[in-house]
Amino acid sequence: DVLFLFQVPFELTPQQKELQRMLQLIQSRLQEEHSLQDVIFKSAFKSASTALPPREDNSLQSPDACRIHGHLYVNKVAGNFHITVGKAIPHPRGHAHLAALVSHESYNFSHRIDHLSFGELIPGIINPLDGTEKIASDHNQMFQYFITVVPTKLHTYKISAETHQFSVTERERVINHAAGSHGVSGIFMKYDISSLMVTVTEEHMPFWQFLVRLCGIIGGIFSTTGILHGFGRFVAEIIFCRFRLGSYRSTSVPLPDGHTSNHLPLITDNSTH
């Protein structure tokens, strides 16, 4: 396990705030459009790490926060890791923290998560907790993250790697033993490894299959056009036929005996009287 602890100012620089807002916007879009994750997988190596850029300003602000950076190895079973106050004291069922000598007024577990991932680090992959920021409303407050880790294999034309996706549920509460809210103040990450594995594969359509589909589309267009043309011609013939029948209406012809005939007179070139 390799972890580094630095004392840094909690307030971000303008450049860091811009990246923070971008990560939060991406997270909100990913919650609405899950298909965007496939696009991120395909173009992961094009992007840089989601971690905040280094502080470039020469601020004289005194450090008021701690930055934890590094990695640790965990077993592929349910477990947890946490950040809290007090020295760890081991015992048979785990360990406890000796925090009785630390004043509760000195607690402040406001935190910001720049990057948290499981497995192989792939630059550009947006994880659910990247960009998370929590401000404690009380000195004695507990933040809990319940994480379900899913092993994932990526096989695309640009990426071939094994990593881990995860989903997270958040919970926070104020510790008040007098009101029945027991616990330890701090930041707790409780994770569980899923027994299922997800494989993300990118496939492209062969060129011959594209040509077959293109020919099918063109043939369908011609067939539909022919049907519409035949139907229009049929309707036009019916309408014009009615007009022609209307122009040959019968007329009355007087006869010598005073009667009338509704038949049309026969007209020839050699008419006789």
Side-chain angles (χ1 to χ4, degrees):
D1 299 349
V2 180
L3 293 176
F4 301 95
L5 181 64
F6 305 95
Q7 287 187 334
V8 295
F10 187 76
E11 188 67 20
L12 297 177
T13 63
Q15 184 182 6
Q16 292 174 335
K17 288 181 179 180
E18 184 66 25
L19 179 60
Q20 181 81 6
R21 286 192 294 266
M22 182 189 70
L23 287 176
Q24 293 175 351
L25 177 61
I26 293 175
Q27 293 290 4
S28 62
R29 291 294 303 276
L30 285 174
Q31 293 177 2
E32 300 173 359
E33 301 288 342
H34 297 285
S35 60
L36 290 178
Q37 187 67 30
D38 297 335
V39 179
I40 293 176
F41 279 151
K42 294 178 182 179
S43 59
F45 281 154
K46 292 182 179 180
S47 305
S49 175
T50 56
L52 292 179
R55 185 178 295 271
E56 297 180 354
D57 60 346
N58 296 324
S59 176
L60 299 178
Q61 180 182 359
S62 60
D64 57 353
C66 297
R67 171 174 293 177
I68 300 176
H69 172 75
H71 63 271
L72 54 91
Y73 293 94
V74 297
N75 296 323
K76 291 187 177 181
V77 294
N80 75 86
F81 55 92
H82 49 267
I83 302 170
T84 187
V85 177
K87 183 179 179 181
I89 302 176
H91 62 82
R93 298 188 60 183
H95 68 274
H97 292 270
L98 182 61
L101 302 179
V102 182
S103 173
H104 289 177
E105 299 298 325
S106 63
Y107 292 177
N108 189 345
F109 286 102
S110 299
H111 60 279
R112 184 184 302 112
I113 302 176
D114 300 332
H115 176 78
L116 179 66
S117 62
F118 291 82
E120 181 182 349
L121 177 61
I122 300 180
I125 294 296
I126 307 297
N127 294 282
L129 288 177
D130 293 354
T132 300
E133 182 176 278
K134 298 292 183 181
I135 304 299
S137 60
D138 190 271
H139 293 285
N140 199 10
Q141 191 164 349
M142 173 190 287
F143 296 91
Q144 292 177 303
Y145 298 93
F146 301 93
I147 300 172
T148 301
V149 184
V150 180
T152 304
K153 289 185 177 181
L154 301 179
H155 297 290
T156 66
Y157 283 85
K158 298 180 180 179
I159 303 173
S160 180
E162 295 186 5
T163 183
H164 294 75
Q165 300 181 83
F166 65 90
S167 60
V168 60
T169 303
E170 304 174 10
R171 182 188 178 191
E172 58 183 83
R173 61 187 175 92
V174 176
I175 303 299
N176 189 347
H177 299 286
S181 178
H182 303 292
V184 179
S185 303
I187 305 170
F188 293 82
M189 302 283 183
K190 299 184 178 182
Y191 61 89
D192 189 12
I193 309 295
S194 175
S195 58
L196 301 177
M197 175 178 289
V198 176
T199 301
V200 180
T201 305
E202 181 183 5
E203 296 181 353
H204 289 273
M205 182 186 302
F207 184 71
W208 65 267
Q209 189 174 357
F210 168 76
L211 291 179
V212 171
R213 291 192 177 186
L214 181 61
C215 294
I217 293 173
I218 295 175
I221 293 174
F222 276 102
S223 299
T224 304
T225 305
I227 293 173
L228 293 177
H229 179 266
F231 179 76
R233 183 176 180 180
F234 174 74
V235 173
E237 288 181 353
I238 292 177
I239 296 174
F240 292 148
C241 184
R242 288 186 177 179
F243 276 118
R244 285 197 295 267
L245 289 176
S247 63
Y248 292 104
R249 293 179 180 176
S250 62
T251 58
S252 298
V253 179
L255 297 176
D257 56 358
H259 295 83
T260 59
S261 176
N262 292 328
H263 297 283
L264 292 175
L266 180 62
I267 301 176
T268 61
D269 293 338
N270 300 322
S271 298
T272 58
H273 181 67

